[in-house]
Amino acid sequence: MIAARIVIVRRFVLVIALASASHAGFTSAQATAPPELKLSVVVAPLYPMGAAAKSWGDALNDRAKGAFTVKYFPGAQLAGRDATKEFRALQAGEIDLAVGSALQWSDAFPPLAAIALPWISPGNRQLLAVVADKDVQARLTAALDAAGVTMVAIAPLRHRDLSTQSRNISGPDDLKGLRVRVREAKLITDTYIALGALPTGLSLPNAQAGFAAGTLDGQDAAAVTLVAARAWATGAHHVVQWGAFANAMVFAVRKSLWATWPEATRTMVRDAALKAIDAAKTSEREHAAHDELARNGIAITRMTLAGHAAFRAAAEPVYKAWTPRIGADLVEAVQSAAANGAAVPGN
């Protein structure tokens, strides 16, 4: 009887030991599993910024060697599919990494609007000079750092165009009463209002209905977006490359995450971002989009330097309203960098 009890006790102890070992192994596996980092971008890889984000995430997964994994979330999924909320989600820790548009993020973080102020850098060489300028980069980095976000890299995202149904745009007076679809940023809406236009934030289906009914005259968008929306099918006949709103893509990491990484990891993340900028092929995609618009019967016009100057003067109220929000020193730094870029031949 005693011997039987001893056997039962030994079996009971063995079961407990095996269960403990199994739990310890499971806990250890959990502890050593690489963290999953969430990478957000507003657009799909069809667009330059979406392609850059996808390339960045893929490169990080290849190079991290199991230290972490990156999961790609296009379409602003982590911000309720609302581009204007993406920056706040990054600050709040709901997003770990993001590739964002300076324009789209400027509502939540006004300093980024310095790059996109109307006609501040209307040429592509000017925009390149702005984003490459060390003073501009340092000021943006410091401002973002204070907001809990680390800027890893910044690159040109070129300019937005204005497509119109029948009215060709060559000077400020042509904007008077223009009913134009405007999305994404308050800075753009404010500029159209200052120029006497009638901006509206219609969804794409409602805008298409407006074009068909003759209640909408045009839309403000990047060339690749106009192609994706088949602007020619909704009656657009003109596209003006007017240089109004320069844009840039910002590669960013949640600051609290960045602080945990050793310098070797930070260097790897920066290098991957720089390679992703090349993979975006922003310039090539824009040229291809303009060619596609032209093939479909849309007249493409590039505004003259005199036209840029006239619009810039007409947009002065926007500068007066936005400069205090952005910071006068940052606006001055961008203007100086753009002026240096203007001295370089070409566009």
Side-chain angles (χ1 to χ4, degrees):
M1 186 69 175
I2 294 175
R5 287 179 178 173
I6 292 173
V7 170
I8 291 171
V9 169
R10 284 177 176 171
R11 287 176 177 171
F12 181 67
V13 171
L14 179 61
V15 168
I16 292 175
L18 289 172
S20 298
S22 175
H23 177 72
F26 177 70
T27 303
S28 176
Q30 278 188 318
T32 58
E36 182 179 270
L37 305 182
K38 294 170 287 188
L39 169 59
S40 177
V41 67
V42 169
V43 292
L46 169 68
Y47 301 93
M49 194 167 69
K54 181 68 165 58
S55 178
W56 192 31
D58 290 344
L60 292 178
N61 281 329
D62 288 342
R63 299 181 188 190
K65 300 187 185 302
F68 56 76
T69 59
V70 175
K71 188 172 181 181
Y72 176 66
F73 291 91
Q77 296 175 52
L78 302 175
R81 298 195 178 277
D82 185 342
T84 63
K85 296 179 180 178
E86 187 179 43
F87 186 81
R88 296 294 190 200
L90 179 62
Q91 287 180 299
E94 296 161 10
I95 294 171
D96 299 305
L97 307 95
V99 181
S101 150
L103 261 170
Q104 288 172 336
W105 283 1
S106 65
D107 282 3
F109 189 70
L112 284 172
I115 292 170
L117 280 167
W119 292 280
I120 198 167
S121 54
N124 289 319
R125 287 187 179 271
Q126 291 169 295
L127 175 56
L128 181 60
V130 167
V131 299
D133 187 81
K134 298 301 181 185
D135 187 25
V136 172
Q137 288 184 3
R139 291 179 185 278
L140 283 176
T141 298
L144 285 162
D145 185 76
V149 173
T150 298
M151 187 172 78
V152 173
I154 186 170
L157 203 54
R158 312 286 279 195
H159 296 75
R160 299 171 70 88
D161 293 340
L162 175 58
S163 74
T164 52
Q165 306 305 93
S166 58
R167 190 186 308 184
N168 194 19
I169 305 299
S170 59
D173 286 344
D174 297 327
L175 268 288
K176 305 294 185 185
L178 191 76
R179 299 163 299 182
V180 56
R181 179 181 182 242
V182 176
R183 304 282 286 180
E184 298 174 349
K186 189 175 186 300
L187 175 66
I188 302 178
T189 300
D190 287 354
T191 302
Y192 276 99
I193 291 173
L195 295 172
L198 304 172
T200 176
L202 290 174
S203 66
L204 182 57
N206 288 337
Q208 290 173 332
F211 288 130
T215 58
L216 197 60
D217 301 312
Q219 63 179 318
D220 179 287
V224 291
T225 302
L226 292 173
V227 170
R230 295 173 56 82
W232 55 87
T234 56
H237 289 94
H238 302 276
V239 165
V240 58
Q241 296 176 256
W242 63 336
F245 307 107
N247 204 358
M249 53 183 165
V250 179
F251 292 72
V253 177
R254 178 167 49 84
K255 181 181 175 181
S256 56
L257 172 63
W258 183 263
T260 67
W261 286 341
E263 191 55 40
T265 300
R266 293 176 179 180
T267 299
M268 180 266 289
V269 171
R270 288 193 194 98
D271 289 346
L274 294 177
K275 290 188 180 298
I277 290 168
D278 292 335
K281 299 185 183 302
T282 303
S283 177
E284 293 90 332
R285 288 172 188 256
E286 183 186 63
H287 287 309
H290 283 130
D291 289 345
E292 182 68 12
L293 292 168
R295 275 194 297 271
N296 283 279
I298 293 180
I300 311 293
T301 304
R302 178 178 288 179
M303 189 161 287
T304 64
L305 295 178
H308 290 160
F311 272 106
R312 166 63 184 85
E316 184 60 27
V318 180
Y319 279 74
K320 289 181 178 178
W322 277 81
T323 295
R325 299 176 61 193
I326 295 168
D329 289 347
L330 179 53
V331 171
E332 185 178 344
V334 171
Q335 287 175 322
S336 176
N340 291 334
V344 180
N347 191 50

